[in-house]
Amino acid sequence: MADGPAQWQADVLGAGYQQHTIELGEDPDGEGEVVATLVRHLPDTGTETDETAETAVLYVHGFTDYFFQRHLAEHFAGRGHRFYALDLRKCGRSLRSGQSPHYVTDLTFYDAELDEALRIVRAETGANVLLVAHSTGGLILPLWLDRLNRAGGVAEAGIIGLVLNSPWFDLQGPSYYRTIGTPLIESLGRFRATARLPGGGLSTYGDSLHHTVAGEWDYNLDWKPLAGAPVRFGWLRAIRRGHFRLHQGLDIGVPALILRSKLTKFLRTYGPAADVADTVLDVKQIQRWSGCLGDRTNIVPIDGARHDVFLSAERPRAQAFAELDHWLNWLDEYRRVEQGEPAEG
């Protein structure tokens, strides 16, 4: 990875968006050369945004996902924040021919692109950084932050807060998935890492989102298939190890906002109930394990929200943005007090 300025080019999202390829070298999992892709939002003119911005946002997607949520970038830009998003290795823009989508056998492999993305954001903006993540990204980022914090790097890196949108904090489903199932995943993930998990392939969530079925959103179905990407045992083993580390207790070093749906409904086929509930994760598990982040946490259930609360129907989506803004205002005030400045009002 180069330490110089990022080289930007036009992005698939069109005007106002650019992308930079982060070269990561040989894949530790043996699937050739891997890259990550950093996307930046340039509102209005497509030129460099105001370098006086006090906060930059770095967003990380979930499994079977990539960054396409223009409205999220525009919301942060409307608050005066610089916005960046990272497509992790083998995900979305970063997927190369012959590679297995989203496949890694160790979540620490993502440290390389996270470190470089953070370096670029800081070099370009000089701003403090707010991290935002969804689902699996909501597991990856706290684990990375905990490692940074233990190395004394969170404050030095300028990271000031974390927003998690339905983070994946435990294995959903019956309890025996987490008891009997976890040793089995450990064994299969070690000896048959690339083998696919049987079953799956449900398109309930995808059908609720995409405009060609029952949703309102338009995105690349090659990068975000309706029925999801294949789940491989080596990847699931890495996830379970991440869950175990989280459950031991982290210290991410910054305040966190956790947004989730108020309700979980696991449905095999699409129906109206899929539009008002999390059909992917168990929201009770999100509630249970959020305290393991180790700093100030604010957990907010959003009535009628989908798994991605910012892809919910208009009313719960508006509530999610309102809760986000309220928390960001609180974070500004909290930081002023922490730095010894007088509180406003």
Side-chain angles (χ1 to χ4, degrees):
M1 291 179 292
D3 290 333
Q7 302 299 311
W8 298 95
Q9 60 185 350
D11 184 65
V12 295
L13 291 180
Y17 294 88
Q18 294 179 336
Q19 63 169 267
H20 165 70
T21 300
I22 300 173
E23 304 286 348
L24 297 169
E26 191 69 23
D27 180 20
D29 288 317
E31 294 192 333
E33 297 286 320
V34 286
V35 303
T37 310
L38 187 63
V39 178
R40 69 178 181 180
H41 177 45
L42 303 175
D44 299 326
T45 64
T47 60
E48 294 288 345
T49 51
D50 182 5
E51 293 184 0
T52 64
E54 294 183 1
T55 304
V57 174
L58 178 59
Y59 172 85
V60 177
H61 59 83
F63 182 69
T64 307
D65 209 354
Y66 72 102
F67 173 67
F68 63 91
Q69 296 91 335
R70 292 181 181 90
H71 66 296
L72 185 62
E74 291 162 3
H75 184 86
F76 280 110
R79 291 185 57 92
H81 301 335
R82 299 283 297 273
F83 183 89
Y84 296 77
L86 183 65
D87 279 12
L88 299 167
R89 64 185 66 195
K90 306 184 194 177
C91 306
R93 299 165 179 82
S94 307
L95 182 64
R96 298 296 184 262
S97 177
Q99 295 179 345
S100 305
H102 298 264
Y103 179 67
V104 294
T105 57
D106 190 330
L107 298 184
T108 64
F109 292 165
Y110 291 130
D111 287 9
E113 54 255 54
L114 291 168
D115 289 344
E116 178 64 3
L118 180 62
R119 185 196 70 79
I120 292 171
V121 172
R122 291 280 287 168
E124 287 199 349
T125 68
N128 294 315
V129 178
L130 173 73
L131 300 173
V132 183
H134 170 54
S135 199
T136 306
L139 174 64
I140 293 166
L141 280 193
L143 294 171
W144 173 62
L145 270 179
D146 179 69
R147 289 189 289 273
L148 276 181
N149 198 35
R150 284 187 284 112
V154 170
E156 182 179 319
I159 298 169
I160 59 171
L162 177 66
V163 176
L164 299 181
N165 167 7
S166 302
W168 191 15
F169 283 168
D170 205 351
L171 191 63
Q172 61 273 36
S175 60
Y176 62 82
Y177 284 9
R178 294 176 291 280
T179 53
I180 299 172
T182 295
L184 181 61
I185 290 168
E186 176 68 25
S187 177
L188 290 171
R190 181 179 179 187
F191 297 108
R192 298 188 59 204
T194 60
R196 297 185 180 190
L197 183 73
L202 298 179
S203 65
T204 308
Y205 180 54
D207 289 349
S208 76
L209 295 180
H210 203 264
H211 71 99
T212 58
V213 190
E216 61 179 291
W217 306 102
D218 186 13
Y219 50 81
N220 187 329
L221 291 177
D222 290 329
W223 293 346
K224 186 177 173 62
L226 294 178
V231 174
R232 299 178 187 274
F233 282 108
W235 174 83
L236 192 55
R237 176 180 182 240
I239 293 294
R240 290 305 285 154
R241 288 186 164 197
H243 287 157
F244 177 73
R245 178 70 192 91
L246 171 77
H247 298 169
Q248 289 179 310
L250 305 180
D251 185 3
I252 63 172
V254 291
L257 170 68
I258 299 94
L259 299 172
R260 64 167 178 84
S261 179
K262 208 166 190 177
L263 183 67
T264 291
K265 279 192 176 294
F266 294 129
L267 305 169
R268 297 197 63 81
T269 58
Y270 171 78
D275 292 328
V276 295
D278 192 326
T279 60
V280 178
L281 297 182
D282 186 340
V283 298
K284 293 180 180 178
Q285 293 174 343
I286 297 173
Q287 187 74 27
R288 177 183 181 185
W289 296 113
S290 289
C292 289
L293 296 176
D295 206 284
R296 289 173 176 259
T297 56
N298 187 18
I299 310 162
V300 182
I302 306 295
D303 191 19
R306 292 189 177 104
H307 174 52
D308 187 332
V309 300
F310 295 119
L311 296 182
S312 300
E314 184 176 359
R315 184 195 59 77
R317 183 166 75 239
Q319 183 189 348
F321 277 119
E323 294 287 355
L324 171 65
D325 287 342
H326 177 75
W327 185 81
L328 290 173
N329 293 339
W330 169 85
L331 182 64
D332 287 342
E333 187 69 12
Y334 170 75
R335 294 189 65 249
R336 275 193 290 269
V337 173
E338 286 286 292
Q339 293 166 5
E341 299 177 13
E344 290 189 345

